Amino acid sequence: MKGSPKLYESYTLDGLGSFLYIDLFKGIQLNHIPKKCSNCGKYFLLTSGKYSDYCERPLPADKGKTCRDVGARKKYDEKCKTDPVWLTFNRAYKAHYARYMEKKMTVPEFEKWSAYAIELRDKAVNGELEFEEFERLVKI
């Protein structure tokens, strides 16, 4: 025998169900959690340190995009349609980005405004800032 001794696990299984049960719990032990994709409805494994509602399978209609690409965008767009704070933030962001693209704002100015706007948005979402006040301040 060459090298150091090795320890192995051994199982005697009475069927496929037993194998799948062991496989599932060994995966969970390694932080591979099964989750159902919110876009396509198929199951995928979340690996340790990552959290997502969407898998990374390519879309049948567009092989260049994944459920994660499309699902996250769809979720953001839905939030912007239903939440007035997010809608106002999104409009103000686009207006300031257009100013930046037209060279009416410098990169540091845009980054400073962006950080300020995100802070305001978070306060408005948490109820720490009235919507009208948020709307007035974010457009400045």
Side-chain angles (χ1 to χ4, degrees), residues 32-81:
H32 294 110
I33 313 295
K35 179 143 173 113
K36 191 173 186 177
C37 178
S38 295
N39 189 50
C40 68
K42 296 179 182 176
Y43 284 89
F44 67 101
L45 289 178
L46 284 175
T47 55
S48 59
K50 280 183 133 181
Y51 180 79
S52 178
D53 289 331
Y54 307 100
C55 68
E56 293 187 15
R57 290 185 186 94
L59 297 174
D62 185 358
K63 300 291 182 195
K65 293 188 178 181
T66 65
C67 285
R68 188 167 292 172
D69 297 334
V70 173
R73 182 65 195 187
K74 193 185 309 181
K75 189 175 184 178
Y76 178 79
D77 289 344
E78 197 60 40
K79 190 186 308 186
C80 286
K81 286 179 188 174

Side-chain angles (χ1 to χ4, degrees), residues 1-24:
M1 212 194 262
K2 292 183 179 179
S4 60
K6 295 181 182 176
L7 182 63
Y8 294 97
E9 290 183 30
S10 176
Y11 300 95
T12 304
L13 305 172
D14 59 2
L16 181 62
S18 300
F19 168 75
L20 294 173
Y21 181 81
I22 295 288
D23 191 48
L24 172 68

Side-chain angles (χ1 to χ4, degrees), residues 66-128:
T66 65
C67 285
R68 188 167 292 172
D69 297 334
V70 173
R73 182 65 195 187
K74 193 185 309 181
K75 189 175 184 178
Y76 178 79
D77 289 344
E78 197 60 40
K79 190 186 308 186
C80 286
K81 286 179 188 174
T82 58
D83 188 336
V85 171
W86 279 90
L87 178 63
T88 303
F89 171 79
N90 198 30
R91 285 182 181 156
Y93 187 91
K94 285 180 179 180
H96 281 78
Y97 186 75
R99 289 181 199 149
Y100 159 71
M101 292 302 289
E102 294 168 358
K103 308 278 189 241
K104 293 179 182 177
M105 278 182 100
T106 64
V107 173
E109 288 173 334
F110 178 72
E111 288 174 349
K112 183 178 177 183
W113 175 86
S114 180
Y116 169 72
I118 289 169
E119 188 178 316
L120 289 175
R121 180 201 64 204
D122 292 346
K123 284 182 179 179
V125 167
N126 293 332
E128 300 168 21

